[in-house]
Amino acid sequence: MLVALIARDKPDSLEIRKANRDAHLAYIEATGVVTQAGPLIVDGGMAGSLVILDVPDLAAAEAWAADDPYAKAGLFGSVELVEWKKVIG
């Protein structure tokens, strides 16, 4: 199942994002369940993340989200996991 992870950064957290970026990208590569990912941009700056996961179920998406180095570092103010259906692309 495809799941969209929509995470919003806490205010003034760019340094947390930058300090944990390499670990976050390594986690994405190591887990092999991310089909698309990138930062959310607000007013020209990074303000969150959109990650599309291909996982067996919502519990697997929740586990992936909890183990993400960004989440462990306290980057996100909110995280939403929503089943997603790819139609175009």
Side-chain angles (χ1 to χ4, degrees):
M1 94 186 286
L2 296 174
V3 175
L5 182 156
I6 304 159
R8 303 284 181 168
D9 292 359
K10 291 178 181 173
D12 303 314
S13 59
L14 181 59
E15 292 307 314
I16 295 171
R17 177 175 279 278
K18 288 167 41 176
N20 291 279
R21 185 172 188 271
D22 289 344
H24 169 73
L25 294 176
Y27 179 65
I28 286 174
E29 185 173 336
T31 58
V33 299
V34 175
T35 64
Q36 298 179 57
L40 300 174
I41 307 296
V42 174
D43 297 327
M46 290 182 278
S49 298
L50 172 63
V51 181
I52 305 298
L53 303 168
D54 188 352
V55 291
D57 52 37
L58 197 53
E62 291 168 349
W64 190 95
D67 285 339
D68 180 359
Y70 278 167
K72 288 183 172 186
L75 174 61
F76 302 132
S78 68
V79 175
E80 181 179 9
L81 294 166
V82 182
E83 186 174 354
W84 182 70
K85 180 179 180 180
K86 181 177 179 180
V87 175
I88 298 172

